[in-house]
Amino acid sequence: MRRRSGWLLPVLIVLLVALPIVEVWLLIQVGEQIGVLATIGVLVVEAAVGAWLMKREGTRAWTALNGALQTGRMPSAELTDAALVLVGGVLLMLPGFLSDVIGFLFLLPLTRPLARKLVGYLVARRVNSLGLPTPVSRLHTDGVIRGETVPDPDQSSDPGGPRTIRGEIDDQR
C-alpha cells in the first residue's frame, strides 16, 4: 500500500492562519495610505461589484452547464467554471484585498480559463498521487483513437451490410 504524503493538511492550516494575518496587514497599510473611510468604501464597492459579477457569471456558467447536459456532453469545464464562480464570489464578499484579487481572478471571464487550467493541473496531480487511473495525456497521442470492436446486435442479421461505428469524441483543444 502506498503511503500518502501528508503535506496538504499542514499547508491548509498555515493558509488558514496566514491569510487573515496578511489581510489585516494589507487593510492597515491601505487604511494608512488612503484613510479608513476610503478603505471601507473600496471594500464595499468591491463587494458590490463582486456580487454583480457573481450573478452575471453564475448565470452564464449555469446556462453553459445546462447546455452541455442537454447535448449529452460531459460538462467538466462548465462544472469547473461554476465552482470557480462560486468560490470567487465568496472571496469577493469577504473583507480583504488579497481575497478580492483571487476572487476576481476566479470570476473574470478573461482570467478564469487560467484558473480552470490550474485547478485541472492540481486535481490531476492529486489523482496521480493517489494512484488512480487517468486519461491519456493529449501530449502523447499519435492521432490514433484506441478502442475495441464489439458486435452490434442490430447488425447481426446482415453481416455483409454497411457497418456503423457509434461513439463520441470529445476533443477540447
Side-chain angles (χ1 to χ4, degrees), residues 10-86:
V11 167
L12 285 175
I13 291 172
V14 167
L15 286 175
L16 287 174
V17 171
L19 280 177
I21 293 170
V22 171
E23 290 284 16
V24 169
W25 180 80
L26 279 172
L27 286 171
I28 291 170
Q29 297 303 312
V30 172
E32 287 178 354
Q33 295 297 317
I34 66 173
V36 174
L37 290 178
T39 302
I40 292 171
V42 168
L43 290 173
V44 168
V45 168
E46 284 180 344
V49 169
W52 172 78
L53 194 57
M54 186 172 91
K55 181 179 178 188
R56 187 185 86 174
E57 293 302 316
T59 302
R60 286 183 180 180
W62 184 255
T63 302
L65 181 62
N66 280 331
L69 291 173
Q70 288 175 355
T71 60
R73 285 188 308 107
M74 177 62 108
S76 57
E78 290 83 359
L79 283 172
T80 307
D81 276 355
L84 287 171
V85 166
L86 177 65

Side-chain angles (χ1 to χ4, degrees), residues 73-171:
R73 285 188 308 107
M74 177 62 108
S76 57
E78 290 83 359
L79 283 172
T80 307
D81 276 355
L84 287 171
V85 166
L86 177 65
V87 171
V90 168
L91 288 173
L92 280 167
M93 298 299 153
L94 296 174
F97 293 112
L98 183 61
S99 60
D100 289 344
V101 168
I102 296 169
F104 277 122
L105 289 174
F106 287 1
L107 270 177
L108 294 173
L110 295 174
T111 56
R112 195 175 326 122
L114 177 64
R116 187 183 328 121
K117 285 184 181 187
L118 178 63
V119 167
Y121 172 75
L122 293 173
V123 168
R125 279 192 59 198
R126 182 69 179 152
V127 167
N128 284 335
S129 72
L130 293 174
L132 299 173
T134 58
V136 176
S137 171
R138 288 191 189 128
L139 299 174
H140 303 295
T141 60
D142 56 359
V144 176
I145 300 171
R146 310 247 183 255
E148 65 180 79
T149 304
V150 294
D152 187 354
D154 296 336
Q155 294 178 353
S156 61
S157 61
D158 185 14
R163 305 208 96 169
T164 304
I165 299 174
R166 293 191 182 107
E168 182 177 317
I169 298 174
D170 186 15
D171 187 12

